[in-house]
């Protein structure tokens, strides 16, 4: 099996794809193993129609490889919020050399978790504990940015924004809320914001 995997990837990419192969626990759907025979599987191309590949990568790298992973599109949607939070801090980073990146205390802490049996949950936890520092410290941010890109394989590019259809009813609520804000009727404006949120729309106010 492994020899066949190596042969087909060499035929496709014309170079060695990986130095190590790891057996991981099964991916499950509704507590059953994801498999072709059960028909309970998604191809990556199908998944990428609705979810950015970097979010999928982030989703898989949230789990310990030794335990089964229960696949859920709802979970991916929740996980995406964490990835977007990461982007808000790191997207402004710039690439430095990997040797420079490895001088970062934050990177060293992340690396210590990776070296402990690929403990990805611990690695992400150590990164998120330092988001405030990365936001304030450009040098550290650049080092972590480089590590996340070069070692973990994330592009850190902004996620594409989906076009949102504005129905006449939604536009009416938006207009009414804008009128309430102009009148400084903040209570009514907040009520209308909540109505929009319940309908799946997030009102964002621009500073004047």
């Amino acid at each position: 099996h492994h020899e066949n995997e190596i042969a087909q990837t060499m035929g496709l990419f014309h170079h060695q794809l990986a130095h190590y192969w790891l057996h991981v626990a099964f991916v499950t759907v509704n507590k059953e193993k994801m498999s072709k025979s059960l028909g309970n599987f998604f191809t990556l191309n199908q998944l990428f129609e609705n979810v950015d590949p970097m979010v999928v990568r982030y989703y898989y790298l949230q789990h310990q490889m030794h335990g089964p992973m229960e696949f859920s599109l709802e979970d991916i949607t929740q996980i995406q919020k964490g990835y977007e939070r990461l982007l808000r801090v790191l997207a402004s980073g710039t690439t430095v050399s990997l040797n420079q990146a490895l001088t970062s205390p934050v990177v060293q802490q992340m690396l210590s978790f990776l070296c402990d049996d690929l403990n990805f949950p611990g690695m992400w936890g150590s990164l998120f504990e330092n988001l405030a520092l990365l936001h304030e410290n450009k040098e550290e941010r650049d080092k972590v940015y480089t590590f996340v890109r070069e070692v973990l394989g994330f592009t850190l590019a902004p996620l594409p924004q989906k076009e949102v259809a504005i129905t006449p009813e939604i536009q009416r609520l938006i207009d009414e809320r804008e009128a309430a804000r102009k009148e400084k009727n903040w209570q009514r404006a907040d009520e209308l914001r909540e109505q929009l949120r319940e309908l799946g729309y997030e009102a964002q106010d621009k500073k004047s």
Side-chain angles (χ1 to χ4, degrees):
H1 172 80
H2 295 90
E3 288 77 7
N4 289 339
E5 293 285 352
I6 293 170
Q8 69 184 17
T9 52
M10 285 287 288
L12 178 61
F13 296 106
H14 306 295
H15 64 81
Q16 187 176 8
L17 185 65
H19 294 290
Y20 301 97
W21 292 86
L22 300 176
H23 282 281
V24 299
F26 292 133
V27 177
T28 61
V29 177
N30 295 325
K31 308 300 181 183
E32 291 186 305
K33 175 187 172 184
M34 183 183 286
S35 67
K36 288 183 179 180
S37 60
L38 293 175
N40 63 345
F41 72 98
F42 300 89
T43 67
L44 285 177
N45 285 336
Q46 288 173 325
L47 194 54
F48 293 160
E49 290 176 3
N50 298 300
V51 185
D52 188 88
M54 290 297 102
V55 175
V56 175
R57 186 181 190 87
Y58 184 71
Y59 175 68
Y60 279 109
L61 294 186
Q62 293 289 317
H63 298 82
Q64 282 280 16
M65 66 176 181
H66 297 302
M69 190 186 82
E70 178 69 13
F71 182 86
S72 165
L73 288 174
E74 290 182 1
D75 286 348
I76 290 182
T77 301
Q78 291 300 315
I79 286 292
Q80 179 170 322
K81 295 177 182 178
Y83 185 65
E84 290 172 343
R85 184 183 173 204
L86 187 67
L87 287 181
R88 284 194 290 271
V89 174
L90 293 185
S92 60
T94 53
T95 303
V96 298
S97 72
L98 192 54
N99 284 338
Q100 283 180 280
L102 292 176
T103 65
S104 160
V106 179
V107 168
Q108 283 298 317
Q109 190 177 9
M110 294 169 65
L111 195 57
S112 69
F113 282 103
L114 283 183
C115 291
D116 182 17
D117 201 24
L118 293 179
N119 182 354
F120 284 108
M123 183 205 71
W124 290 119
S126 69
L127 173 54
F128 276 92
E129 286 174 0
N130 287 284
L131 283 189
L133 168 65
L134 300 180
H135 180 74
E136 297 170 357
N137 190 316
K138 177 73 163 62
E139 184 178 347
E140 278 296 300
R141 183 164 69 247
D142 290 346
K143 292 175 181 179
V144 174
Y145 171 89
T146 299
F147 183 80
V148 172
R149 278 179 56 92
E150 302 300 323
V151 176
L152 301 180
F154 291 91
T155 64
L156 295 178
L159 296 178
Q161 298 297 312
K162 294 181 180 179
E163 292 187 7
V164 178
I166 303 295
T167 65
E169 173 63 16
I170 295 300
Q171 188 61 56
R172 183 187 65 77
L173 291 173
I174 292 172
D175 292 342
E176 187 177 343
R177 183 172 182 275
E178 186 61 28
R181 292 185 70 241
K182 288 180 179 178
E183 295 170 2
K184 297 186 178 182
N185 186 346
W186 309 122
Q187 181 178 349
R188 180 56 180 159
D190 288 343
E191 291 172 355
L192 290 163
R193 178 199 288 273
E194 191 58 34
Q195 288 184 41
L196 287 165
R197 184 177 289 129
E198 289 173 359
L199 293 170
Y201 295 79
E202 186 67 37
Q204 295 184 348
D205 300 326
K206 295 181 180 179
K207 293 182 179 180
S208 56

